Amino acid sequence: GFLDLPVAAAPVSLEGRTFGAYELVERIGAGGMGTVWRARRNDGRFEGDVAVKLLHPSLVEERGSERFRSEGSILSRLSHAGIARLFDAGLSAAGQPFLVLELVEGLRIDRFADVHRLPVRARLELFLQIADAVAYAHSNLVVHRDLKPSNILVDRAGQAKLLDFGIATLVDQASGLAVGRTVTTGRALTPEYAAPEQLEGGAITTATDVYALGVLLYELLTGEHPVARADTSPADLVRAITTGATIRMSERVR
């Protein structure tokens, strides 16, 4: 009898819709919190494309809006060559939050290194770009909390850019501990790059990002994750990370 049911309507495309002074051109990314679109300013005051990040409408009434506002607030205090810039932020006529960001056209950092067959020295230089960007964020009391290859793009000029401060948090200057939102939801957390304290609900500090940088460096130099394999179960992954069951990098020379 299911053949007699009405066919669900196809999702309405946002292509051509206007958010603030920006017209959406094409969708370039999607995740649990929303979508990212290539867009261009439609009033002639800005040349070149930008990235517009939209919060999913279903999350507007949830804590998603709070997280979106926090991301915009955090990005507004950061200005670094290795961090995608925030240009604007606002609400659509329907009340949907959006952020207007620097559009970074490139490959994720691990893919860039492999496609260009970068030697070890070049991989280290690429990594140091991101380490410098993270150090800058930390000097401004910001912990990213979601450092991973897919959040780092390298453009054609070889400049690495850190993206997505969606679950970033501020840290107290005196104590060094995260303040405000410190609980990372399951859908936002990336276990493969999470520090033990993130998985165990411990205190978040700048060391949380340093751990993720270590995982990134390990992958860039060996092509493998320190503990995760294709057949590693989520429970085994968490257990390996929290117990420090890592194979030494020297045992995985390329």
Side-chain angles (χ1 to χ4, degrees):
F2 75 92
L3 292 176
D4 296 324
L5 296 174
V7 178
V12 178
S13 174
L14 294 177
E15 184 177 332
R17 298 283 185 89
T18 298
F19 286 77
Y22 301 88
E23 180 180 337
L24 305 187
V25 177
E26 64 173 334
R27 194 176 76 168
I28 56 176
M33 290 295 294
T35 55
V36 180
W37 291 73
R38 178 190 298 272
R40 60 177 57 104
R41 190 151 182 149
N42 59 13
D43 61 4
R45 298 183 59 186
F46 179 86
E47 295 294 331
D49 290 352
V50 296
V52 172
K53 186 174 183 178
L54 305 176
L55 178 66
H56 195 285
S58 66
L59 300 177
V60 170
E61 300 300 325
E62 299 180 16
R63 296 194 65 183
S65 289
E66 176 190 340
R67 205 169 98 182
F68 224 66
R69 284 193 296 270
S70 177
E71 181 178 2
S73 176
I74 285 174
L75 282 172
S76 69
R77 60 195 288 164
L78 301 178
S79 178
H80 188 278
I83 298 175
R85 292 173 292 165
L86 174 72
F87 293 137
D88 201 356
L91 291 173
S92 71
Q96 185 176 4
F98 66 89
L99 300 175
V100 182
L101 305 158
E102 175 185 0
L103 177 65
V104 182
E105 298 189 275
L107 298 173
R108 49 185 278 170
I109 188 169
D110 52 350
R111 178 67 176 154
F112 181 91
D114 289 342
V115 166
H116 294 278
R117 298 182 179 180
L118 298 185
V120 170
R121 183 180 183 85
R123 289 170 185 262
L124 290 173
E125 290 172 347
L126 200 58
F127 171 79
L128 287 175
Q129 290 186 33
I130 290 303
D132 187 65
V134 172
Y136 169 81
H138 289 176
S139 71
N140 282 273
L141 307 178
V142 174
V143 177
H144 188 280
R145 294 205 300 168
D146 197 23
L147 297 173
K148 56 186 178 182
S150 60
N151 279 342
I152 304 168
L153 297 183
V154 184
D155 62 23
R156 296 171 185 171
Q159 173 64 56
K161 295 273 189 178
L162 181 56
L163 315 173
D164 199 350
F165 281 72
I167 64 170
T169 189
L170 299 176
V171 294
D172 178 72
Q173 188 169 13
S175 68
L177 299 176
V179 296
R181 298 176 305 110
T182 57
V183 177
T184 305
T185 61
R187 67 181 168 191
L189 183 69
T190 308
E192 291 83 355
Y193 301 92
E197 62 270 21
Q198 285 179 287
L199 297 173
E200 296 178 323
I204 302 299
T205 68
T206 53
T208 301
D209 282 349
V210 174
Y211 177 93
L213 284 174
V215 177
L216 174 65
L217 178 60
Y218 192 107
E219 288 190 325
L220 282 176
L221 296 182
T222 69
E224 298 183 63
H225 188 276
V227 297
R229 299 292 175 272
D231 59 350
T232 303
S233 70
D236 287 340
L237 174 65
V238 171
R239 187 179 303 109
I241 292 173
T242 54
T243 60
T246 303
I247 297 176
R248 289 181 179 275
M249 192 184 297
S250 58
E251 299 176 25
R252 289 183 172 162
V253 178
R254 281 181 175 269

